[in-house]
Amino acid sequence: MIAIAWFEFATKFRRISTYVYLVVFTAIAALWIAAAGGAFAGANIVFSSDKVFINSPYAIAQTITVLGLLGVVVIAAFMGRAVQQDFEYQTFHFFFTSPISKSQYYAGRFAGAVAILLFIFLGIALGVIIGAHLPGVDASRVGPWSFGAFAKPYAVMLLPNIFFLGACFFGLAALTRRMLPVYIAGVVVLIGYLVALRLLQDIDNRTVAAMIDPLGSSAMGLVTRYWSLAEKNTRLIPIADEVLWNRALWLGIGIVVFGACFARFRMSFAQPEAKKRKAKALELAPEARPATAAALPVVRLDNSAGAYLRQLPGMVGLYLRETVKNVYFGVLVLAGALFILGNAKVVVSLFGTITYPVTYQVIDFASGQFGLVMLIVTAFY
């Protein structure tokens, strides 16, 4: 297993895309911290107050957690490709016929992908350090540095997120041998995060919102909401209360998902579903009859504009039927419906007070967070 994990890590470590992602996260974190430090006019209040050090444990934990959300697509890409690439390039024959057990192959690929993701996300810590020293940053906003301020968010927030999301994405890629379901799962996770943010606006739903947030940012905000400025500048994020229960819940779900996908995974040349479909097709196939020679009609290719216009309705209908019948389209529609249902209560609620669904509230919801869902669906199709 260690050899397979090292092979996966070393292969990805030599690729240019790994360092592109590393540079991107470093740059985003550096600009985030520089903006909090006053390098850009009007953007110096990022961590609730300009009295909070931009390198305080509270600020660093927020930075690592929030920017880790942007890494959902990166996690999907690396975790899914870790196993799907073997089927795409037909190298799985080599692994499946070698004296390698299923646990060695599955866990090795998974561990190697987790290791390379941790390397990429180290760019966030590097960006925090660089951003605190960029020109224009107010020196009074930079406090004492602490190794624990970096290590604890990585261990408590980021690593469990990588494990949980990685178990989902890796398992989907291993079972379906495709990347599209992996990206669909990323959309579902993002929608769940947006629902948690909306629910957090309702005081009565703070605990529920903190628990259903798979990335833990809502739980962290709930635990630190009454911290003084001095506490935000000195205290590490505690592993207690909502943070503890949120991390335990989603880490447990990640373990269950990992175990379930591992149990269903088969080191075979064809998926069980594909075998069943092939056997059924053979049963229904008519007996082979000798082909008789037949005169083929003479055809002529018509490239006129009128021919394209006549074909347009049929092509639109064909693609529409293919899209609607696709199971992944149904998943996206269901995710959007759950997003609306999850936000139905807070759309007409202001700090726990129910209001009429006036026009500006509905428009703000449709063009705001749900607009992001529509943008994701548009990007897929």
Side-chain angles (χ1 to χ4, degrees), residues 192-270:
Y193 178 76
L194 296 177
V195 170
L197 291 182
R198 295 288 296 184
L199 289 175
L200 197 59
Q201 297 179 6
D202 192 338
I203 297 177
D204 295 335
N205 290 329
R206 286 185 181 272
T207 301
V208 175
M211 295 304 296
I212 67 174
D213 176 12
L215 303 184
S217 61
S218 299
M220 186 179 66
L222 194 60
V223 170
T224 61
R225 69 189 185 279
Y226 296 129
W227 278 15
S228 65
L229 296 178
E231 289 177 311
K232 290 182 178 180
N233 284 329
T234 57
R235 287 188 62 183
L236 298 176
I237 302 299
I239 309 177
D241 301 327
E242 287 82 1
V243 171
L244 173 62
W245 292 111
N246 176 276
R247 298 291 80 190
L249 172 64
W250 290 103
L251 190 59
I253 293 176
I255 294 174
V256 172
V257 171
F258 182 88
C261 293
F262 174 77
R264 290 184 58 84
F265 178 68
R266 297 290 182 270
M267 293 183 68
S268 59
F269 294 145

Side-chain angles (χ1 to χ4, degrees), residues 302-313:
D302 188 358
N303 291 323
S304 64
Y308 285 114
L309 291 176
R310 289 192 298 272
Q311 295 172 4
L312 181 61

Side-chain angles (χ1 to χ4, degrees), residues 16-357:
I16 297 177
S17 59
T18 299
Y19 295 94
V20 171
Y21 286 123
L22 178 67
V23 171
V24 168
F25 279 104
T26 302
I28 294 175
L31 293 175
W32 174 281
I33 293 297
F40 306 105
N44 61 330
I45 302 179
V46 176
F47 304 118
S48 73
S49 173
D50 58 0
K51 302 299 182 182
V52 177
F53 293 140
I54 59 176
N55 63 333
S56 65
Y58 171 81
I60 292 175
Q62 268 202 340
T63 301
I64 293 174
T65 304
V66 173
L67 296 187
L69 169 65
L70 302 178
V72 170
V73 177
V74 179
I75 296 174
F78 276 82
M79 297 302 300
R81 291 289 295 172
V83 64
Q84 186 269 341
Q85 62 187 356
D86 292 336
F87 302 103
E88 179 179 349
Y89 297 110
Q90 299 297 309
T91 58
F92 67 96
H93 300 88
F94 171 77
F95 293 104
F96 289 1
T97 56
S98 300
I100 300 173
S101 66
K102 184 174 76 168
S103 59
Q104 290 174 334
Y105 174 79
Y106 196 92
R109 285 293 195 187
F110 181 85
V114 169
I116 198 64
L117 283 170
L118 285 176
F119 172 75
I120 291 174
F121 285 121
L122 285 178
I124 300 176
L126 181 60
V128 170
I129 298 174
I130 294 175
H133 295 88
L134 288 178
V137 174
D138 187 359
S140 64
R141 297 291 310 280
V142 181
W145 294 91
S146 169
F147 175 77
F150 288 96
K152 196 166 186 179
Y154 271 92
V156 177
M157 306 302 295
L158 195 57
L159 184 57
N161 291 342
I162 293 177
F163 180 83
F164 162 69
L165 296 175
C168 297
F169 298 148
F170 189 88
L172 281 174
L175 297 179
T176 63
R177 304 183 180 186
R178 300 175 59 190
M179 282 300 296
L180 181 59
V182 176
Y183 295 125
I184 295 293
V187 173
V188 174
V189 171
L190 181 59
I191 290 176
Y193 178 76
L194 296 177
V195 170
L197 291 182
R198 295 288 296 184
L199 289 175
L200 197 59
Q201 297 179 6
D202 192 338
I203 297 177
D204 295 335
N205 290 329
R206 286 185 181 272
T207 301
V208 175
M211 295 304 296
I212 67 174
D213 176 12
L215 303 184
S217 61
S218 299
M220 186 179 66
L222 194 60
V223 170
T224 61
R225 69 189 185 279
Y226 296 129
W227 278 15
S228 65
L229 296 178
E231 289 177 311
K232 290 182 178 180
N233 284 329
T234 57
R235 287 188 62 183
L236 298 176
I237 302 299
I239 309 177
D241 301 327
E242 287 82 1
V243 171
L244 173 62
W245 292 111
N246 176 276
R247 298 291 80 190
L249 172 64
W250 290 103
L251 190 59
I253 293 176
I255 294 174
V256 172
V257 171
F258 182 88
C261 293
F262 174 77
R264 290 184 58 84
F265 178 68
R266 297 290 182 270
M267 293 183 68
S268 59
F269 294 145
Q271 294 174 297
E273 293 79 5
K275 291 181 178 179
K276 293 178 181 178
R277 288 195 299 267
K278 184 177 180 180
K280 186 176 181 180
L282 291 175
E283 292 176 0
L284 298 177
E287 296 182 359
R289 296 184 177 89
T292 58
L296 298 177
V298 179
V299 296
R300 182 176 60 86
L301 184 63
D302 188 358
N303 291 323
S304 64
Y308 285 114
L309 291 176
R310 289 192 298 272
Q311 295 172 4
L312 181 61
M315 295 300 295
V316 171
L318 174 64
Y319 288 125
L320 179 61
R321 288 192 299 273
E322 290 181 349
T323 300
V324 173
K325 291 190 298 184
N326 194 303
V327 64
Y328 304 117
F329 176 80
V331 172
L332 286 175
V333 172
L334 179 61
L338 292 177
F339 177 81
I340 294 176
L341 292 175
N343 288 277
K345 183 178 180 180
V346 296
V347 167
V348 294
S349 175
L350 293 175
F351 301 103
T353 301
I354 302 300
T355 63
Y356 289 113

Side-chain angles (χ1 to χ4, degrees), residues 351-374:
F351 301 103
T353 301
I354 302 300
T355 63
Y356 289 113
V358 294
T359 303
Y360 82 90
Q361 289 179 326
V362 177
I363 292 178
D364 178 67
F365 171 70
S367 62
Q369 295 190 16
F370 191 74
L372 178 60
V373 177
M374 295 304 301

